[in-house]
mmCIF file of all heavy atoms in Angstrom:
data_model
loop_
_atom_site.group_PDB
_atom_site.id
_atom_site.type_symbol
_atom_site.label_atom_id
_atom_site.label_comp_id
_atom_site.label_asym_id
_atom_site.label_seq_id
_atom_site.Cartn_x
_atom_site.Cartn_y
_atom_site.Cartn_z
ATOM 1 N N ILE A 63 15.480 -6.313 6.224
ATOM 2 C CA ILE A 63 15.906 -7.715 6.099
ATOM 3 C C ILE A 63 17.159 -7.943 6.951
ATOM 4 O O ILE A 63 17.257 -8.939 7.669
ATOM 5 C CB ILE A 63 16.163 -8.101 4.625
ATOM 6 C CG1 ILE A 63 14.841 -8.130 3.848
ATOM 7 C CG2 ILE A 63 16.872 -9.454 4.534
ATOM 8 C CD1 ILE A 63 15.004 -8.260 2.341
ATOM 9 N N LEU A 64 18.114 -7.001 6.879
ATOM 10 C CA LEU A 64 19.348 -7.136 7.654
ATOM 11 C C LEU A 64 19.093 -7.064 9.157
ATOM 12 O O LEU A 64 19.756 -7.760 9.933
ATOM 13 C CB LEU A 64 20.363 -6.071 7.241
ATOM 14 C CG LEU A 64 20.970 -6.240 5.856
ATOM 15 C CD1 LEU A 64 21.825 -5.035 5.497
ATOM 16 C CD2 LEU A 64 21.777 -7.529 5.763
ATOM 17 N N GLU A 65 18.137 -6.233 9.569
ATOM 18 C CA GLU A 65 17.798 -6.152 10.997
ATOM 19 C C GLU A 65 17.255 -7.486 11.493
ATOM 20 O O GLU A 65 17.569 -7.913 12.599
ATOM 21 C CB GLU A 65 16.742 -5.063 11.230
ATOM 22 C CG GLU A 65 17.277 -3.658 11.149
ATOM 23 C CD GLU A 65 16.162 -2.609 11.139
ATOM 24 O OE1 GLU A 65 14.998 -2.934 11.462
ATOM 25 O OE2 GLU A 65 16.472 -1.453 10.791
ATOM 26 N N LYS A 66 16.443 -8.134 10.676
ATOM 27 C CA LYS A 66 15.827 -9.397 11.079
ATOM 28 C C LYS A 66 16.730 -10.596 10.813
ATOM 29 O O LYS A 66 16.485 -11.683 11.338
ATOM 30 C CB LYS A 66 14.499 -9.587 10.344
ATOM 31 C CG LYS A 66 13.447 -8.590 10.780
ATOM 32 C CD LYS A 66 12.140 -8.820 10.068
ATOM 33 C CE LYS A 66 11.102 -7.818 10.555
ATOM 34 N NZ LYS A 66 9.780 -8.109 10.039
ATOM 35 N N ASN A 67 17.748 -10.392 9.958
ATOM 36 C CA ASN A 67 18.646 -11.479 9.570
ATOM 37 C C ASN A 67 20.096 -10.996 9.583
ATOM 38 O O ASN A 67 20.751 -10.932 8.538
ATOM 39 C CB ASN A 67 18.287 -11.977 8.160
ATOM 40 C CG ASN A 67 16.854 -12.420 8.048
ATOM 41 O OD1 ASN A 67 16.513 -13.541 8.404
ATOM 42 N ND2 ASN A 67 15.995 -11.543 7.554
ATOM 43 N N PRO A 68 20.634 -10.649 10.746
ATOM 44 C CA PRO A 68 21.978 -10.070 10.808
ATOM 45 C C PRO A 68 23.078 -10.995 10.279
ATOM 46 O O PRO A 68 24.137 -10.528 9.870
ATOM 47 C CB PRO A 68 22.184 -9.756 12.287
ATOM 48 C CG PRO A 68 21.129 -10.492 13.022
ATOM 49 C CD PRO A 68 20.013 -10.742 12.069
ATOM 50 N N SER A 69 22.818 -12.295 10.227
ATOM 51 C CA SER A 69 23.852 -13.196 9.705
ATOM 52 C C SER A 69 24.019 -13.061 8.194
ATOM 53 O O SER A 69 24.940 -13.645 7.618
ATOM 54 C CB SER A 69 23.551 -14.650 10.086
ATOM 55 O OG SER A 69 22.312 -15.049 9.552
ATOM 56 N N LEU A 70 23.176 -12.269 7.534
ATOM 57 C CA LEU A 70 23.379 -11.969 6.113
ATOM 58 C C LEU A 70 24.470 -10.913 5.907
ATOM 59 O O LEU A 70 25.042 -10.816 4.823
ATOM 60 C CB LEU A 70 22.080 -11.461 5.471
ATOM 61 C CG LEU A 70 21.056 -12.506 5.066
ATOM 62 C CD1 LEU A 70 19.774 -11.823 4.572
ATOM 63 C CD2 LEU A 70 21.597 -13.428 4.007
ATOM 64 N N LYS A 71 24.757 -10.132 6.926
ATOM 65 C CA LYS A 71 25.723 -9.034 6.782
ATOM 66 C C LYS A 71 27.090 -9.489 6.268
ATOM 67 O O LYS A 71 27.629 -8.858 5.369
ATOM 68 C CB LYS A 71 25.870 -8.264 8.102
ATOM 69 C CG LYS A 71 24.649 -7.440 8.431
ATOM 70 C CD LYS A 71 24.816 -6.717 9.757
ATOM 71 C CE LYS A 71 23.574 -5.939 10.120
ATOM 72 N NZ LYS A 71 23.730 -5.250 11.412
ATOM 73 N N PRO A 72 27.645 -10.587 6.779
ATOM 74 C CA PRO A 72 28.950 -11.013 6.250
ATOM 75 C C PRO A 72 28.905 -11.452 4.782
ATOM 76 O O PRO A 72 29.927 -11.558 4.131
ATOM 77 C CB PRO A 72 29.337 -12.199 7.149
ATOM 78 C CG PRO A 72 28.484 -12.086 8.348
ATOM 79 C CD PRO A 72 27.239 -11.377 7.936
ATOM 80 N N LYS A 73 27.712 -11.698 4.266
ATOM 81 C CA LYS A 73 27.553 -12.140 2.883
ATOM 82 C C LYS A 73 27.220 -10.994 1.933
ATOM 83 O O LYS A 73 26.995 -11.214 0.748
ATOM 84 C CB LYS A 73 26.457 -13.202 2.806
ATOM 85 C CG LYS A 73 26.748 -14.433 3.639
ATOM 86 C CD LYS A 73 25.583 -15.402 3.597
ATOM 87 C CE LYS A 73 25.745 -16.513 4.579
ATOM 88 N NZ LYS A 73 26.564 -17.592 4.183
ATOM 89 N N LEU A 74 27.191 -9.770 2.441
ATOM 90 C CA LEU A 74 26.757 -8.636 1.631
ATOM 91 C C LEU A 74 27.585 -8.426 0.362
ATOM 92 O O LEU A 74 27.029 -8.138 -0.695
ATOM 93 C CB LEU A 74 26.739 -7.352 2.460
ATOM 94 C CG LEU A 74 25.478 -7.140 3.274
ATOM 95 C CD1 LEU A 74 25.620 -5.912 4.169
ATOM 96 C CD2 LEU A 74 24.258 -7.013 2.381
ATOM 97 N N LYS A 75 28.888 -8.569 0.463
ATOM 98 C CA LYS A 75 29.730 -8.363 -0.732
ATOM 99 C C LYS A 75 29.337 -9.341 -1.838
ATOM 100 O O LYS A 75 29.228 -8.968 -3.000
ATOM 101 C CB LYS A 75 31.211 -8.495 -0.387
ATOM 102 C CG LYS A 75 31.746 -7.328 0.404
ATOM 103 C CD LYS A 75 33.218 -7.513 0.713
ATOM 104 C CE LYS A 75 33.708 -6.377 1.588
ATOM 105 N NZ LYS A 75 35.101 -6.555 1.975
ATOM 106 N N GLU A 76 29.142 -10.588 -1.471
ATOM 107 C CA GLU A 76 28.742 -11.617 -2.431
ATOM 108 C C GLU A 76 27.344 -11.326 -2.988
ATOM 109 O O GLU A 76 27.109 -11.433 -4.194
ATOM 110 C CB GLU A 76 28.750 -12.983 -1.735
ATOM 111 C CG GLU A 76 28.121 -14.104 -2.517
ATOM 112 C CD GLU A 76 27.795 -15.310 -1.634
ATOM 113 O OE1 GLU A 76 28.467 -15.520 -0.608
ATOM 114 O OE2 GLU A 76 26.855 -16.029 -1.991
ATOM 115 N N ILE A 77 26.415 -10.949 -2.123
ATOM 116 C CA ILE A 77 25.041 -10.661 -2.549
ATOM 117 C C ILE A 77 25.033 -9.463 -3.497
ATOM 118 O O ILE A 77 24.348 -9.468 -4.524
ATOM 119 C CB ILE A 77 24.130 -10.416 -1.325
ATOM 120 C CG1 ILE A 77 24.015 -11.689 -0.479
ATOM 121 C CG2 ILE A 77 22.746 -9.946 -1.768
ATOM 122 C CD1 ILE A 77 23.363 -11.483 0.881
ATOM 123 N N ILE A 78 25.807 -8.446 -3.162
ATOM 124 C CA ILE A 78 25.909 -7.251 -4.015
ATOM 125 C C ILE A 78 26.477 -7.623 -5.379
ATOM 126 O O ILE A 78 25.960 -7.181 -6.415
ATOM 127 C CB ILE A 78 26.744 -6.159 -3.313
ATOM 128 C CG1 ILE A 78 25.923 -5.525 -2.199
ATOM 129 C CG2 ILE A 78 27.242 -5.114 -4.307
ATOM 130 C CD1 ILE A 78 26.697 -4.584 -1.292
ATOM 131 N N LYS A 79 27.504 -8.430 -5.382
ATOM 132 C CA LYS A 79 28.127 -8.842 -6.650
ATOM 133 C C LYS A 79 27.109 -9.559 -7.540
ATOM 134 O O LYS A 79 26.991 -9.263 -8.731
ATOM 135 C CB LYS A 79 29.325 -9.753 -6.360
ATOM 136 C CG LYS A 79 30.053 -10.217 -7.582
ATOM 137 C CD LYS A 79 31.229 -11.097 -7.202
ATOM 138 C CE LYS A 79 31.914 -11.644 -8.442
ATOM 139 N NZ LYS A 79 33.030 -12.515 -8.105
ATOM 140 N N ASP A 80 26.372 -10.501 -6.969
ATOM 141 C CA ASP A 80 25.370 -11.248 -7.734
ATOM 142 C C ASP A 80 24.239 -10.337 -8.207
ATOM 143 O O ASP A 80 23.810 -10.411 -9.355
ATOM 144 C CB ASP A 80 24.793 -12.390 -6.897
ATOM 145 C CG ASP A 80 25.795 -13.501 -6.646
ATOM 146 O OD1 ASP A 80 26.807 -13.567 -7.372
ATOM 147 O OD2 ASP A 80 25.568 -14.296 -5.716
ATOM 148 N N ALA A 81 23.768 -9.483 -7.325
ATOM 149 C CA ALA A 81 22.664 -8.582 -7.682
ATOM 150 C C ALA A 81 23.073 -7.629 -8.797
ATOM 151 O O ALA A 81 22.295 -7.365 -9.722
ATOM 152 C CB ALA A 81 22.213 -7.783 -6.457
ATOM 153 N N TYR A 82 24.279 -7.135 -8.726
ATOM 154 C CA TYR A 82 24.740 -6.187 -9.744
ATOM 155 C C TYR A 82 24.796 -6.840 -11.123
ATOM 156 O O TYR A 82 24.408 -6.237 -12.126
ATOM 157 C CB TYR A 82 26.095 -5.592 -9.386
ATOM 158 C CG TYR A 82 26.560 -4.599 -10.426
ATOM 159 C CD1 TYR A 82 25.942 -3.355 -10.534
ATOM 160 C CD2 TYR A 82 27.558 -4.925 -11.341
ATOM 161 C CE1 TYR A 82 26.322 -2.456 -11.515
ATOM 162 C CE2 TYR A 82 27.951 -4.030 -12.317
ATOM 163 C CZ TYR A 82 27.327 -2.799 -12.400
ATOM 164 O OH TYR A 82 27.695 -1.910 -13.382
ATOM 165 N N ARG A 83 25.248 -8.073 -11.155
ATOM 166 C CA ARG A 83 25.336 -8.790 -12.439
ATOM 167 C C ARG A 83 23.970 -8.816 -13.135
ATOM 168 O O ARG A 83 23.869 -8.537 -14.328
ATOM 169 C CB ARG A 83 25.856 -10.210 -12.194
ATOM 170 C CG ARG A 83 26.043 -11.000 -13.481
ATOM 171 C CD ARG A 83 26.615 -12.371 -13.231
ATOM 172 N NE ARG A 83 25.701 -13.156 -12.414
ATOM 173 C CZ ARG A 83 26.097 -13.962 -11.434
ATOM 174 N NH1 ARG A 83 27.355 -14.072 -11.129
ATOM 175 N NH2 ARG A 83 25.223 -14.655 -10.753
ATOM 176 N N TYR A 84 22.921 -9.102 -12.376
ATOM 177 C CA TYR A 84 21.580 -9.151 -12.963
ATOM 178 C C TYR A 84 21.036 -7.753 -13.254
ATOM 179 O O TYR A 84 20.290 -7.554 -14.212
ATOM 180 C CB TYR A 84 20.621 -9.912 -12.044
ATOM 181 C CG TYR A 84 21.006 -11.363 -11.891
ATOM 182 C CD1 TYR A 84 21.373 -11.874 -10.653
ATOM 183 C CD2 TYR A 84 21.031 -12.218 -12.994
ATOM 184 C CE1 TYR A 84 21.746 -13.205 -10.518
ATOM 185 C CE2 TYR A 84 21.396 -13.544 -12.859
ATOM 186 C CZ TYR A 84 21.747 -14.034 -11.620
ATOM 187 O OH TYR A 84 22.118 -15.346 -11.488
ATOM 188 N N SER A 85 21.405 -6.792 -12.448
ATOM 189 C CA SER A 85 20.889 -5.429 -12.653
ATOM 190 C C SER A 85 21.421 -4.829 -13.957
ATOM 191 O O SER A 85 20.731 -4.037 -14.591
ATOM 192 C CB SER A 85 21.232 -4.526 -11.470
ATOM 193 O OG SER A 85 22.614 -4.286 -11.391
ATOM 194 N N ARG A 86 22.611 -5.215 -14.348
ATOM 195 C CA ARG A 86 23.157 -4.748 -15.636
ATOM 196 C C ARG A 86 22.267 -5.207 -16.782
ATOM 197 O O ARG A 86 21.968 -4.440 -17.705
ATOM 198 C CB ARG A 86 24.572 -5.293 -15.856
ATOM 199 C CG ARG A 86 25.629 -4.638 -15.017
ATOM 200 C CD ARG A 86 26.982 -5.287 -15.223
ATOM 201 N NE ARG A 86 27.494 -4.979 -16.562
ATOM 202 C CZ ARG A 86 28.256 -5.806 -17.265
ATOM 203 N NH1 ARG A 86 28.573 -6.991 -16.800
ATOM 204 N NH2 ARG A 86 28.699 -5.454 -18.451
ATOM 205 N N VAL A 87 21.843 -6.454 -16.724
ATOM 206 C CA VAL A 87 20.978 -7.009 -17.771
ATOM 207 C C VAL A 87 19.634 -6.277 -17.777
ATOM 208 O O VAL A 87 19.129 -5.895 -18.838
ATOM 209 C CB VAL A 87 20.774 -8.533 -17.574
ATOM 210 C CG1 VAL A 87 19.771 -9.088 -18.569
ATOM 211 C CG2 VAL A 87 22.106 -9.264 -17.668
ATOM 212 N N GLU A 88 19.064 -6.068 -16.596
ATOM 213 C CA GLU A 88 17.775 -5.384 -16.491
ATOM 214 C C GLU A 88 17.876 -3.933 -16.957
ATOM 215 O O GLU A 88 16.996 -3.444 -17.673
ATOM 216 C CB GLU A 88 17.268 -5.444 -15.046
ATOM 217 C CG GLU A 88 16.882 -6.841 -14.617
ATOM 218 C CD GLU A 88 16.579 -6.928 -13.133
ATOM 219 O OE1 GLU A 88 16.212 -5.912 -12.527
ATOM 220 O OE2 GLU A 88 16.728 -8.034 -12.582
ATOM 221 N N ALA A 89 18.947 -3.253 -16.568
ATOM 222 C CA ALA A 89 19.135 -1.861 -16.986
ATOM 223 C C ALA A 89 19.305 -1.789 -18.499
ATOM 224 O O ALA A 89 18.785 -0.879 -19.151
ATOM 225 C CB ALA A 89 20.338 -1.244 -16.278
ATOM 226 N N SER A 90 19.993 -2.747 -19.055
ATOM 227 C CA SER A 90 20.172 -2.797 -20.505
ATOM 228 C C SER A 90 18.825 -2.955 -21.198
ATOM 229 O O SER A 90 18.528 -2.263 -22.180
ATOM 230 C CB SER A 90 21.092 -3.961 -20.876
ATOM 231 O OG SER A 90 21.160 -4.110 -22.269
ATOM 232 N N SER A 91 18.013 -3.840 -20.680
ATOM 233 C CA SER A 91 16.688 -4.084 -21.257
ATOM 234 C C SER A 91 15.815 -2.835 -21.193
ATOM 235 O O SER A 91 15.111 -2.512 -22.141
ATOM 236 C CB SER A 91 16.020 -5.236 -20.500
ATOM 237 O OG SER A 91 14.690 -5.378 -20.901
ATOM 238 N N GLU A 92 15.874 -2.114 -20.078
ATOM 239 C CA GLU A 92 15.024 -0.937 -19.902
ATOM 240 C C GLU A 92 15.539 0.305 -20.617
ATOM 241 O O GLU A 92 14.755 1.195 -20.939
ATOM 242 C CB GLU A 92 14.829 -0.642 -18.414
ATOM 243 C CG GLU A 92 13.946 -1.680 -17.754
ATOM 244 C CD GLU A 92 13.331 -1.190 -16.463
ATOM 245 O OE1 GLU A 92 13.343 0.025 -16.183
ATOM 246 O OE2 GLU A 92 12.817 -2.050 -15.728
#
């Protein structure tokens, strides 16, 4: 995805933060 969309790279910190928030909920459920 990053290779095809390099303009996402500057947003990685934000994307990681959002993804982690949801992954905690999913990990808790599992």
Side-chain angles (χ1 to χ4, degrees):
I63 291 170
L64 290 173
E65 285 170 14
K66 292 181 179 188
N67 303 277
S69 60
L70 280 175
K71 289 179 182 179
K73 300 176 189 278
L74 276 174
K75 287 180 184 177
E76 169 197 332
I77 295 169
I78 286 171
K79 181 179 176 181
D80 291 342
Y82 181 72
R83 183 177 62 220
Y84 296 117
S85 68
R86 286 176 70 212
V87 174
E88 292 172 25
S90 174
S91 172
E92 289 201 15

